[in-house]
Amino acid sequence: MRILFHKISNDRHILEIVRPNGDREQVECETRSYLQHDLLHYATEREAKLTGGFWGHLARGKTLADMNDRTGVGIIDGQAEMAMIERVVGALSAAVKGHAAHDIIASLQQVAVATESALPEWLTVDFITAIQERMRQLQGHWNGTPYGGVMELVWDE
């Protein structure tokens, strides 16, 4: 699956999904709210080799509308993994802002203890450091994309 981010302006972009069979769908997004989150999902899901996250669901045929359905009906089969990925991505937002990897792990461990859950075994200091580097590269790619240009990522399982 190809993931295309069309840069309209500093404030707006279009997210377009192109599936291997040629089917396409797209949605216009407000960049400040969505771009970093979508890129962080990409970095996290790729680095951890997850297939049950946002991009994995899209690659398996879910639509952007399914993924944006706040009732969860569109992804009922993957809600537990999606919820875990969403928690991790939320915490990793701090990593993108420069917070130390070991501090993020410590915070996540406190949440895990409080919720009587466990962190995924792939969620380590080295993993967070790798995410920070991947996000630096992705953000550099986006910043280098001219207005009217396209940043393309590939999702292959």
Side-chain angles (χ1 to χ4, degrees):
M1 175 177 78
R2 294 172 44 223
I3 304 165
L4 308 174
F5 294 96
H6 300 264
K7 191 173 200 175
I8 298 170
S9 69
N10 285 335
D11 300 322
R12 308 290 301 171
H13 69 279
I14 294 172
L15 167 60
E16 181 177 15
I17 304 301
V18 183
R19 293 193 169 79
N21 66 3
D23 286 351
R24 295 174 175 258
E25 64 175 311
Q26 66 181 25
V27 63
E28 186 172 327
C29 301
E30 190 271 316
T31 299
R32 185 170 180 251
S33 300
Y34 293 103
L35 182 67
Q36 181 167 294
H37 188 77
D38 288 348
L39 293 177
L40 193 49
H41 262 279
Y42 180 84
T44 301
E45 293 172 33
R46 295 306 306 160
E47 197 67 33
K49 298 174 178 50
L50 302 172
T51 60
F54 181 77
W55 300 110
H57 277 311
L58 288 170
R60 287 193 312 279
K62 296 293 183 183
T63 65
L64 289 168
D66 290 335
M67 299 307 295
N68 197 36
D69 177 8
R70 299 298 179 211
T71 67
V73 173
I75 56 165
I76 194 87
D77 56 328
Q79 283 184 332
E81 187 172 11
M82 282 291 296
M84 178 274 298
I85 293 168
E86 214 42 68
R87 277 192 304 277
V88 170
V89 167
L92 291 178
S93 295
V96 176
K97 295 175 183 172
H99 292 235
H102 64 275
D103 290 341
I104 294 166
I105 290 289
S107 294
L108 285 167
Q109 286 173 331
Q110 287 177 343
V111 171
V113 167
T115 60
E116 298 179 354
S117 61
L119 296 181
E121 61 183 59
W122 48 261
L123 187 55
T124 64
V125 168
D126 288 342
F127 175 83
I128 293 174
T129 302
I131 292 299
Q132 288 171 315
E133 175 57 23
R134 190 178 287 233
M135 284 299 293
R136 186 191 65 75
Q137 293 171 4
L138 289 169
Q139 289 169 329
H141 188 175
W142 178 252
N143 291 339
T145 302
Y147 299 116
V150 177
M151 177 177 146
E152 180 173 342
L153 303 176
V154 174
W155 181 273
D156 53 352
E157 292 191 22

